[in-house]
Amino acid sequence: MVAITFIQPDGASQTVTATVGDSVMQTALNNNIDGIFAECGGAMMCATCHCYVDDAWTDATGERVDGEEDMLDCAEAEMRPTSRLTCQIKVTDALDGLVVHLPEA
Ligand code: FES
C-alpha cells in the first residue's frame, strides 16, 4: 500500500491509497480527486493531469520523460520546476507518502 496526498490550491488535502504499478493520475481518478481530468487517458496529449510535486519528493519521482516538458508547456497553469504530468509518474513503493499539489487552473 502506498499513500499519496493530493493538496488542492486552497490547502485542502486528501490522502489516498495507491496501487503499485498504477500512475499517480490513475490513482487520482480512482479517488475522484478534483483538478485531475486526464482527458487523454494518459497518452501525454492533454496536460490536464498537471501537478506540482512537493519539493521533498522531486528526487523520488525522477526526471520528466521525453516529451513531457513540451506538453507541460501547454498546460493551463504555469509550468514550474516541480511540474509533472501525473500520468507519467508510476506508483512504486518508494513513493509511499508522496505529496503532490494541484494547480489553480
Ligand atoms: Fe493527458 Fe496526462 S492524462 S497528459
Side-chain angles (χ1 to χ4, degrees):
M1 294 291 212
V2 175
I4 300 179
T5 299
F6 295 88
I7 300 180
Q8 298 293 334
D10 67 0
S13 74
Q14 196 174 347
T15 300
V16 302
T17 300
T19 302
V20 170
D22 276 358
S23 66
V24 173
M25 174 274 276
Q26 287 167 322
T27 304
L29 292 186
N30 290 346
N31 291 280
N32 300 315
I33 300 293
D34 283 343
I36 298 288
F37 301 101
E39 286 170 4
C40 77
M44 211 165 65
M45 296 182 68
C46 73
T48 60
C49 66
H50 180 197
C51 78
Y52 303 117
V53 174
D54 192 85
D55 288 339
W57 287 93
T58 52
D59 285 347
T61 50
E63 301 287 317
R64 294 173 185 151
V65 303
D66 273 353
E68 186 174 349
E69 192 156 328
D70 290 340
M71 191 47 59
L72 284 166
D73 233 357
C74 303
E76 211 164 312
E78 66 164 327
M79 181 168 65
R80 300 179 190 164
T82 58
S83 287
R84 291 295 309 272
L85 297 174
T86 53
C87 67
Q88 300 304 313
I89 305 174
K90 195 169 183 175
V91 176
T92 65
D93 286 324
L95 294 187
D96 187 24
L98 174 68
V99 177
V100 300
H101 302 262
L102 298 165
E104 286 279 356

